[in-house]
Amino acid sequence: GENVEQHPSTLSVQEGDSAVIKCTYSDSASNYFPWYKQELGKRPQLIIDIRSNVGEKKDQRIAVTLNKTAKHFSLHITETQPEDSAVYFCAANSGGSNYKLTFGKGTLLTVNP
Amino acid sequence: GAVVSQHPSRVICKSGTSVKIECRSLDFQATTMFWYRQFPKQSLMLMATSNEGSKATYEQGVEKDKFLINHASLTLSTLTVTSAHPEDSSFYICSAGQDLNSPLHFGNGTRLTVT
């Protein structure tokens, strides 16, 4: 089955700096890669996703890049703010649909004011 | 759109009792829903895939007789933790998408504590 590795497990940055979280996946058939943000005790919230037919997608301060050949994808957050502090999970699908997701272990991002 | 509601948000029960958790898609129909479990400071682990009108598909290592799933309608899936034990204490979250090409959205989760 799919295996998703995520690094780093913790990341601390100063407000205004950029943050980058990287993930690798094992299943070459995966074609959908969402990123979720989870605040303590709350549900994961989808923040951005990318499909394998594009290499990059951007939404304001958040961007995701995908290298399908190398089987890795990354989340980039620019101009970080304290409210960006949360746990971020990457995921990859299997089974040909968005539905069955395998998640990375998560990255605890702390943005220091 | 694509709102997924989960109830209850918190439940405390005694060992040996059963607990039912409901997951509803509020503004769309979901033929497939997913149940995840999340232990403190850990990732989301898929437990099972809930299929409307048919049996659920369980991931390896998840006991189907302990975690009963019923997906009786296109907007409701239930997870029943039977004969709960303290080690079943966890955060249970369901998810669903509008269709095979739509993102998955998560319910608000259920914090289960078994005493």
Side-chain angles (χ1 to χ4, degrees):
Chain A
E2 176 69 278
N3 182 46
V4 177
E5 299 284 340
Q6 182 172 346
H7 298 281
S9 56
T10 60
L11 179 60
S12 181
V13 300
Q14 289 298 123
E15 182 177 0
D17 288 349
S18 295
V20 180
I21 303 170
K22 298 182 178 181
C23 289
T24 61
Y25 62 98
S26 61
D27 187 352
S28 57
S30 295
N31 58 7
Y32 176 66
F33 309 92
W35 286 87
Y36 287 85
K37 174 184 179 182
Q38 187 179 31
E39 296 177 359
L40 189 63
K42 297 188 176 180
R43 76 180 84 189
Q45 298 269 18
L46 178 71
I47 56 171
I48 197 167
D49 57 11
I50 191 168
R51 297 184 185 277
S52 60
N53 57 345
V54 298
E56 184 174 358
K57 184 177 178 180
K58 191 172 182 179
D59 183 4
Q60 298 183 343
R61 296 187 296 110
I62 296 173
V64 56
T65 59
L66 171 65
N67 184 327
K68 197 164 166 60
T69 302
K71 296 204 196 83
H72 65 71
F73 57 113
S74 301
L75 177 71
H76 304 253
I77 306 174
T78 59
E79 300 172 32
T80 54
Q81 301 165 3
E83 49 266 38
D84 293 330
S85 297
V87 178
Y88 291 80
F89 292 98
C90 64
N93 73 323
S94 59
S97 76
N98 295 351
Y99 273 16
K100 190 169 182 178
L101 296 178
T102 300
F103 285 82
K105 292 189 182 299
T107 296
L108 173 61
L109 173 65
T110 304
V111 181
N112 302 300
Chain B
V3 176
V4 178
S5 176
Q6 193 171 335
H7 179 81
S9 57
R10 289 180 181 272
V11 59
I12 301 173
C13 70
K14 293 185 177 180
S15 288
T17 60
S18 295
V19 174
K20 180 184 283 188
I21 303 169
E22 293 185 349
C23 179
R24 294 181 184 272
S25 55
L26 296 187
D27 53 356
F28 65 99
Q29 295 182 331
T31 56
T32 304
M33 292 184 177
F34 296 86
W35 287 96
Y36 289 84
R37 179 167 55 185
Q38 186 178 35
F39 291 108
K41 297 186 179 181
Q42 294 191 23
S43 188
L44 295 98
M45 300 300 297
L46 180 65
M47 298 176 65
T49 303
S50 174
N51 304 298
E52 188 269 334
S54 64
K55 291 183 179 180
T57 305
Y58 290 82
E59 294 301 302
Q60 192 172 14
V62 178
E63 301 175 58
K64 63 179 181 180
D65 294 330
K66 181 169 182 60
F67 298 100
L68 300 179
I69 291 173
N70 188 327
H71 195 148
S73 78
L74 287 170
T75 59
L76 174 64
S77 174
T78 60
L79 169 68
T80 301
V81 183
T82 62
S83 187
H85 290 113
E87 55 265 33
D88 297 326
S89 299
S90 188
F91 192 50
Y92 292 86
I93 320 176
C94 67
S95 69
Q98 289 180 285
D99 54 55
L100 293 178
N101 294 313
S102 295
L104 277 183
H105 294 275
F106 284 86
N108 47 310
T110 298
R111 174 76 59 193
L112 171 63
T113 303
V114 184
T115 62

